[in-house]
Amino acid sequence: LTYATDGQYLPESLDTLNHFLRDHYTGEVGNIDPELFDLLYQLRLVLRSDQPFQVISGYRSPFTNNRLRTTRSGGVAKRSLHMDGKAIDIRLPGVALSDLRDAALSLKAGGVGFYANEDFVHIDTGKIRSW
């Protein structure tokens, strides 16, 4: 899916991506920050991968976020950037999770969380930080 051309985001493509990354518990569609797609694109370039990302979690409604916070043993922030459409949890087939994390950190473009036991990397368009 081409989501931008000549530096301009394509609204119809963004709508399609918003729907694809909807809250998979409630079906609620949020507005995903287009810069998150830019990060994913940059990751593919850095890693020289043409594999599709596997998405663990995209947009989360406040209801879902609260439910996950109270039913899981930690790891879900009260004010998660997933609720703002600014975060995504991913893995990339054929790429070691640690390499995916390192590539995300090298971009210096937002938050990077490494969840080895859960088998995903969190990236977001918030402040530069890592955990």
Side-chain angles (χ1 to χ4, degrees), residues 5 39 41 52 55 60 78 83 86 88 98-99 113 119 122:
T5 300
L39 278 176
Y41 177 74
V55 177
R60 268 191 227 141
K78 183 175 186 176
M83 296 188 302
K86 294 179 178 286
I88 191 167
S98 58
D99 291 343
D119 194 29
H122 166 102

Side-chain angles (χ1 to χ4, degrees), residues 22-113:
R22 69 192 175 279
D23 183 321
H24 65 272
Y25 292 99
T26 67
E28 185 176 328
V29 177
N31 289 314
I32 305 298
D33 181 356
E35 290 182 17
L36 197 55
F37 304 129
D38 294 338
L39 278 176
L40 292 171
Y41 177 74
Q42 291 298 319
L43 275 175
R44 286 175 57 113
L45 292 177
V46 168
L47 293 165
R48 297 185 178 123
S49 176
D50 62 356
Q51 294 297 309
F53 287 101
Q54 294 176 345
V55 177
I56 312 310
S57 183
Y59 172 74
R60 268 191 227 141
S61 69
F63 174 82
T64 294
N65 198 73
N66 188 54
R67 190 171 126 254
L68 292 174
R69 274 180 33 76
T70 59
T71 60
R72 302 258 169 109
S73 57
V76 177
K78 183 175 186 176
R79 190 64 199 110
S80 171
L81 290 177
H82 285 275
M83 296 188 302
D84 298 326
K86 294 179 178 286
I88 191 167
D89 300 334
I90 55 169
R91 64 177 77 100
L92 189 57
V95 175
L97 208 59
S98 58
D99 291 343
L100 179 58
R101 174 205 55 208
D102 292 348
L105 289 168
S106 77
L107 297 176
K108 295 181 171 66
V112 179

